[in-house]
Amino acid sequence: MATWSAPGKLFLFGEHAVVYGKPGIAMAIKPRVQVTVHRSRYAQRPNSPYIAECLDFLNVKGSVYVKSQLPSASGLGSSAAVTVATLFAINDEFQLGYNKEEVTEFAHEVEKITQKGRASATDTYVSAYGGMVLIRGDEKRRLIPPENFSIVIGNTLVPHHTVDQVRKVAEFQKRSPAVANPILDAIGALTMEAMHNFENQHELGILMNRNQALLNALGAGHPALSRMVLAACSAGAYGAKLSGAGGGGCIWALCPRTVRHRVISAIEACDGKPIPTEIDMEGVRKERDQ
Ligand code: PMV
């Protein structure tokens, strides 16, 4: 038996555009997923397509148990965390001997297969290594997280489906490249601006709001997200935007510590669920077997 856990993530800037080779910035967050793998003689069909693909990918038979503190289908990277923790636990339980880099790359492959070819390495990389990371194609640059980075996550409780959202954007890009490509380019440029402005929270808030507007233009919005973003900003946040594929799921708001409680109340007033969080610097880790 082997038990591993991996953190969720917040997509800070650049989601969707990152699938088209533009830069994206994501950060690992404290809620975790814990996965236990047992060898077994018979193949079990897990409910999660990600877990089924992990077992197929490494060609092993085992039973997999998941304990999650992360809401699923919410843009906080629960599928990636499950995939990462499952592959590391399989590697350990079956003593396959792959190193961290290899298992992390397998996690990206599993996400790509499960998401029909369209998945950036962002979620799996950030979940495996923790911290804050800039991803652009194959390039991964670890960023120094700013101090005093006070964020509040709000879950709209509207489930989203990453695969459908990514497909919708791909269809838009194919049908109207003259409209979609400049939006994707603008998101990429804005992400680079954000990277140089992490110490300036006022400016970062403005960039978040612009990124949110561009995600709406791309078709990744949802009325529940827009409502929560506006409510958080009205309550005093520097800025707010969705995290992940959109169409539902979570927002994150950057706010002065003094207005944190007001932003939390604003999220609740939108029938949403505030999620307390902080950055996870650790990434995937082995847990004691229970
Ligand atoms: O909704 P999530 O947390 O799975 O994030 C998806 C982010 C996308 O950029 C839309 C897709 C990707 O693979 O990066």
Side-chain angles (χ1 to χ4, degrees):
M1 171 162 93
T3 301
W4 286 68
S5 73
K9 68 97 205 7
L10 254 190
F11 226 117
L12 300 180
F13 290 93
E15 49 271 89
H16 286 293
V18 79
V19 178
Y20 299 83
K22 317 286 175 207
I25 302 174
M27 176 179 108
I29 52 168
K30 285 272 187 233
R32 285 187 161 248
V33 166
Q34 185 170 305
V35 175
T36 300
V37 172
H38 294 268
R39 281 167 189 264
S40 71
R41 248 185 279 152
Y42 307 103
Q44 280 187 358
R45 238 23 237 171
N47 291 335
S48 156
Y50 292 91
I51 294 176
E53 194 50 52
C54 288
L55 293 164
D56 285 353
F57 193 86
L58 292 176
N59 197 20
V60 293
K61 291 191 181 87
S63 15
V64 181
Y65 301 93
V66 178
K67 248 203 270 176
S68 181
Q69 303 165 340
L70 275 171
S72 59
S74 66
L76 298 183
S78 72
S79 318
V82 166
T83 304
V84 166
T86 303
L87 287 171
F88 276 83
I90 293 175
N91 188 44
D92 187 6
E93 171 71 352
F94 292 85
Q95 295 177 6
L96 302 180
Y98 293 110
N99 65 32
K100 183 167 181 175
E101 209 180 312
E102 287 167 327
V103 182
T104 305
E105 185 48 42
F106 295 159
H108 182 209
E109 291 304 316
V110 165
E111 277 228 316
K112 272 202 290 199
I113 296 168
T114 317
Q115 293 177 197
K116 315 267 181 294
R118 297 190 200 96
S120 72
T122 319
D123 288 21
T124 43
Y125 185 86
V126 168
S127 185
Y129 286 90
M132 194 185 273
V133 182
L134 176 107
I135 306 262
R136 181 170 29 193
D138 288 336
E139 177 196 349
K140 285 131 193 151
R141 198 186 314 172
R142 297 184 68 74
L143 305 177
I144 298 168
E147 286 178 19
N148 285 329
F149 200 53
S150 169
I151 58 178
V152 175
I153 296 176
N155 189 351
T156 61
L157 304 176
V158 176
H160 83 178
H161 303 283
T162 304
V163 181
D164 294 349
Q165 289 295 113
V166 171
R167 197 197 52 239
K168 242 174 58 182
V169 172
E171 282 165 7
F172 172 37
Q173 198 259 350
K174 204 163 160 218
R175 201 177 52 243
S176 309
V179 183
N181 288 340
I183 300 174
L184 294 167
D185 287 342
I187 293 176
L190 187 147
T191 300
M192 292 313 286
E193 266 187 53
M195 195 183 84
H196 298 295
N197 276 288
F198 266 95
E199 296 301 337
N200 181 347
Q201 305 210 352
H202 266 290
E203 188 56 32
L204 206 61
I206 293 169
L207 293 170
M208 289 171 73
N209 294 340
R210 278 197 192 128
N211 195 161
Q212 173 66 15
L214 290 165
L215 284 163
N216 276 328
L218 210 52
H222 186 281
L225 288 168
S226 300
R227 212 169 130 224
M228 203 176 269
V229 161
L230 291 176
C233 291
S234 306
Y238 293 122
K241 66 175 276 296
L242 66 86
S243 166
C250 289
I251 67 143
W252 67 281
L254 180 67
C255 48
R257 283 196 192 277
T258 45
V259 304
R260 224 181 135 80
H261 61 286
R262 281 190 9 218
V263 172
I264 289 173
S265 305
I267 289 168
E268 283 165 346
C270 293
D271 301 321
K273 189 170 183 301
I275 301 176
T277 189
E278 45 183 307
I279 187 163
D280 176 291
M281 293 303 291
E282 209 180 348
V284 68
R285 70 172 182 229
K286 185 170 167 60
E287 300 286 346
R288 248 186 306 148
D289 295 325
Q290 294 141 10

